[in-house]
Amino acid sequence: MHIAIYSRKSKFTGKGESVENQIQLCRAYASSHFGSNNNIQIYEDEGFSGGSTERPQYQQMLHDAHTHAFEILICYRLDRISRNISDFAALITDLQQEHISFVSIREQFDTSTPMGRAMMYIASVFAQLERETIAERIRDNMIELAKTGRWLGGITPTGFESAPITAIDDHGRTRKAYVLQAIPEEMNLVQRLYDAFLNLQSLTKLETYCLQNGLRSKNERDFSRFALRSILENPVYACADDRMFSYLKDHDFEIYSDRSDFDGRRAVMAYNKTLQVKHHSAQKRSHAEWIIAVGKHRGIISSDKWIAAQNLLLQNKSRTFRKVRSSQSLLSGLLRCASCGSFMRPKPVGRTNGDNQQVFYYMCERKEKSRRALCRMKNANGNELDSLVIEQIKHLSESGSTFQQKLGNEIARMTIHNHTTEGEIQKLLNLIQKNETAISRLVETLAIAEDSAASTYIVKKINELHSQNADLKERSLQLREMEQNRATDIESFQFIDHLLSAFAFTFDMLDIAGKRNLLHGVVDTVTWDGEHVRISLFSKKK
């Protein structure tokens, strides 16, 4: 019988219900209930929360379930699978469709029985309730901390650093906390960004302004529109006055400071702005979920200016920058500028050529954003460049091409080397076996002549042979590793050969999306220097 065991633990520890302990208990259960001659597949996720199913081994288990790789799934406890009732219900449905039974040892549930299925759903409801209760406690705790105006940790906003403060609590104990403290140079930058945005009336123009004037983020990177919007939307810079309170109240922010605290002497603090999902980018929460309070730091942007920036962002939302896409371009996402390293993006001309194709050119993204201030790379004729790259790649697969000859010669050379290496390994193994036989005979002789003068010499010889064998084994392992590495390289070169042949044969039969996907599988980067194009194939990272 094919049985799957799934184990999970949120943190890497050696205590409690470790994945090893869970697996051993599941093995014992499988042996006692389903016999000892089972084929068991183990799936382990350690360091992953039960609140999400985005776990590598869990996803692999689901994939294997759909391919009927096992008949029974066993876990130690129900919440090892999921703490979310909808995720758990989805799993049970999937397993039932594939006729796979599910067993949870701790709760003694077995989905092969109606009672087991009913009890399992009931238990999963309580697991979901526990999760939501924990989340509610965390939020309540965050609200209480927010009322203090403290900085609760994480990456500080541009213009600030966290500074420790100490205080004596009601029990006479010294407590340490953190507050935001302004960095004058960065604050000057933030003020400049707000002024420029209100003057230029556009995030795209503000991005260009930053590039042209050398304004960069605290990590010394060019400002993107996303980063600029994040700064402009953050109320942490705004003075907490009565007008600010009214704006926040009118726009459904949850405020946990009294109106009287908005006296203009301090700034606003916003908590719970993002939803942190493991293995995914942080997701921005709606304003209604933000927790707003008055901070300990001073505001540097007036409420009037901050509110004006919000109104302008909202006004421009329908005109958010969108990348111009050419339906014909194939090298978008691959083509880079040789001068500055930025991507080159397709720009349609608005007419078609003799083949009824949309005419377009590729322009350096940095050149466009900076209005030629930071890069002056010559635009590339998109139609011609696409055709040139495609034809060059097709040429590589042609029989008799220089590339094919070099590829064939390299495969032949490595194959010969591996045959030679295999012979050397075999000689070493034979010598190791010969020494082992000699050692066995010497041990027998030593047993007979244990008390004689010859025993010293026998022991010495045994030690010499052992040392010799250790060196021989190490050398054989080194040769075997070299052989395996060459075998891997041979397979890689053969794969490249087959992929290029498939490229030449199938490319013209694909639609635009298919052609792009195939190109991304073959090409690492394409670089344009204004006159020539350089193509790099088969990056190791792919």
Side-chain angles (χ1 to χ4, degrees):
M1 182 174 290
H2 292 80
I3 296 175
I5 293 175
Y6 180 78
S7 63
R8 178 191 64 78
K9 193 169 186 181
S10 298
K11 295 182 179 179
F12 292 96
T13 68
K15 302 177 181 179
E17 298 164 355
S18 69
V19 290
E20 292 82 5
N21 292 341
Q22 294 175 41
I23 291 168
Q24 289 303 318
L25 289 167
C26 290
R27 281 186 181 276
Y29 184 93
S31 179
S32 62
H33 288 74
F34 305 110
S36 58
N37 296 322
N38 296 307
N39 187 347
I40 296 178
Q41 174 65 43
I42 307 296
Y43 301 92
E44 305 176 41
D45 279 316
E46 190 161 5
F48 290 88
S49 167
S52 169
T53 58
E54 291 300 319
R55 300 168 241 147
Q57 285 294 293
Y58 184 87
Q59 292 299 322
Q60 183 62 48
M61 179 192 72
L62 289 180
H63 175 271
D64 292 348
H66 290 302
T67 60
H68 305 98
F70 52 86
E71 303 154 68
I72 299 172
L73 173 61
I74 302 176
C75 73
Y76 169 66
R77 205 171 66 191
L78 194 61
D79 62 2
R80 299 304 87 191
I81 291 292
S82 177
R83 293 182 182 273
N84 185 301
I85 187 171
S86 61
D87 292 336
F88 181 78
L91 173 67
I92 295 301
T93 300
D94 286 346
L95 294 179
Q96 286 176 339
Q97 289 175 349
E98 303 298 341
H99 304 290
I100 297 173
S101 297
F102 176 76
V103 175
S104 178
I105 297 175
R106 184 77 174 269
E107 293 86 359
Q108 287 293 299
F109 294 155
D110 185 343
T111 57
S112 62
T113 67
M115 182 59 70
R117 285 193 293 273
M119 290 300 294
M120 197 171 307
Y121 278 113
I122 293 171
S124 66
V125 169
F126 283 100
Q128 172 80 348
L129 178 62
E130 180 186 10
R131 181 170 174 267
E132 292 179 354
T133 302
I134 292 172
E136 188 174 332
R137 285 205 305 267
I138 291 173
R139 181 175 173 82
D140 290 343
N141 186 48
M142 184 181 291
I143 289 171
E144 291 305 310
L145 290 172
K147 293 177 182 178
T148 67
R150 293 157 45 185
W151 174 250
L152 301 184
I155 300 174
T156 55
T158 298
F160 293 104
E161 61 184 354
S162 63
I165 57 171
T166 55
I168 307 298
D169 65 14
D170 296 337
H171 301 286
R173 290 175 294 189
T174 301
R175 296 290 187 182
K176 190 175 184 179
Y178 290 86
V179 297
L180 290 179
Q181 180 174 285
I183 303 173
E185 299 81 6
E186 290 187 14
M187 277 303 182
N188 291 336
L189 171 62
V190 171
Q191 290 176 318
R192 189 173 174 181
L193 292 176
Y194 271 85
D195 291 339
F197 177 63
L198 293 175
N199 180 49
L200 296 170
Q201 304 276 297
S202 164
L203 271 178
T204 301
K205 291 180 180 178
L206 180 60
E207 183 183 31
T208 299
Y209 172 84
C210 291
L211 287 170
Q212 291 176 335
N213 291 275
L215 304 183
R216 311 194 80 190
S217 71
K218 64 193 302 178
N219 297 323
E220 287 302 314
R221 295 179 179 177
D222 291 335
F223 277 113
S224 64
R225 281 179 298 278
F226 177 81
L228 292 170
R229 175 183 284 276
S230 179
I231 291 174
L232 295 170
E233 284 183 335
N234 199 337
V236 74
Y237 306 107
C239 294
D241 57 16
D242 191 69
R243 183 146 193 263
M244 190 68 179
F245 182 91
S246 297
Y247 176 89
L248 295 171
K249 197 74 173 175
D250 293 343
H251 288 78
D252 299 324
F253 290 87
E254 287 194 56
I255 305 174
Y256 290 91
S257 293
D258 294 333
R259 188 165 196 145
S260 59
D261 294 329
F262 283 74
D263 54 13
R265 291 183 296 177
R266 292 178 291 166
V268 175
M269 282 290 285
Y271 307 90
N272 203 43
K273 295 191 299 180
T274 59
L275 175 63
Q276 303 294 332
V277 181
K278 196 164 186 175
H279 307 300
H280 290 276
S281 300
Q283 302 172 15
K284 183 180 174 182
R285 296 181 188 270
S286 68
H287 289 163
E289 296 180 88
W290 290 21
I291 296 172
I292 299 293
V294 175
K296 296 290 187 183
H297 61 288
R298 295 182 62 84
I300 59 141
I301 302 296
S302 69
S303 60
D304 288 342
K305 186 179 290 187
W306 189 84
I307 292 170
Q310 306 319 298
N311 292 334
L312 184 55
L313 286 170
L314 185 62
Q315 176 185 326
N316 292 348
K317 192 172 184 179
S318 61
R319 296 185 282 118
T320 301
F321 174 85
R322 293 179 177 85
K323 293 178 181 177
V324 179
R325 297 186 181 273
S326 167
S327 61
Q328 300 296 324
S329 64
L330 299 175
L331 299 179
S332 183
L334 295 173
L335 184 61
R336 287 186 179 272
C337 170
S339 176
C340 68
S342 298
F343 281 112
M344 298 189 70
R345 302 299 185 188
K347 302 293 174 184
V349 173
R351 58 183 175 84
T352 57
N353 58 20
D355 297 325
N356 202 32
Q357 292 180 327
Q358 183 185 45
V359 176
F360 68 97
Y361 59 91
Y362 288 107
M363 176 186 281
C364 171
E365 195 171 45
R366 190 175 179 85
K367 170 187 174 181
E368 180 186 22
K369 288 180 178 180
S370 67
R371 301 297 189 267
R372 300 172 62 89
L374 300 180
C375 186
R376 292 179 172 273
M377 176 56 65
K378 178 182 175 182
N379 295 341
N381 184 309
N383 306 84
E384 292 181 1
L385 192 59
D386 280 2
S387 297
L388 176 63
V389 171
I390 300 307
E391 290 307 313
Q392 288 299 312
I393 296 174
K394 286 181 178 179
H395 175 66
L396 294 177
S397 66
E398 293 177 0
S399 177
S401 69
T402 303
F403 179 81
Q404 283 290 328
Q405 290 176 0
K406 289 184 176 179
L407 194 62
N409 291 340
E410 188 62 18
I411 291 174
R413 183 188 67 80
M414 288 191 293
T415 302
I416 292 171
H417 271 301
N418 267 8
H419 284 314
T420 304
T421 302
E422 183 60 37
E424 293 179 23
I425 292 172
Q426 195 57 52
K427 288 179 181 178
L428 291 173
L429 294 178
N430 291 339
L431 188 53
I432 290 169
Q433 183 59 49
K434 182 180 177 182
N435 286 346
E436 292 289 351
T437 301
I439 290 171
S440 297
R441 290 173 179 168
L442 287 171
V443 169
E444 292 174 0
T445 304
L446 182 63
I448 298 172
E450 185 176 358
D451 298 324
S452 69
S455 63
T456 302
Y457 299 100
I458 294 173
V459 169
K460 182 179 178 181
K461 185 61 177 178
I462 290 173
N463 289 335
E464 287 177 357
L465 291 172
H466 269 302
S467 178
Q468 198 178 104
N469 267 6
D471 293 339
L472 293 172
K473 288 177 181 178
E474 183 178 356
R475 177 56 182 162
S476 67
L477 287 174
Q478 291 173 349
L479 290 174
R480 184 68 73 188
E481 184 177 357
M482 291 168 58
E483 183 184 44
Q484 290 172 348
N485 289 339
R486 278 196 291 264
T488 301
D489 288 341
I490 289 171
E491 289 180 1
S492 298
F493 288 152
Q494 290 173 337
F495 173 76
I496 289 172
D497 186 26
H498 293 154
L499 187 57
L500 287 174
S501 297
F503 183 95
F505 179 73
T506 62
F507 187 83
D508 292 331
M509 295 186 288
L510 300 173
D511 59 14
I512 293 296
K515 289 178 179 179
R516 288 192 188 117
N517 289 336
L518 185 53
L519 268 173
H520 278 265
V522 173
V523 178
D524 179 20
T525 57
V526 181
T527 307
W528 170 253
D529 65 5
E531 296 294 337
H532 304 96
V533 63
R534 180 183 179 85
I535 308 170
S536 298
L537 305 179
F538 306 108
S539 169
K540 290 182 180 180
K541 68 185 178 183
K542 290 193 175 186

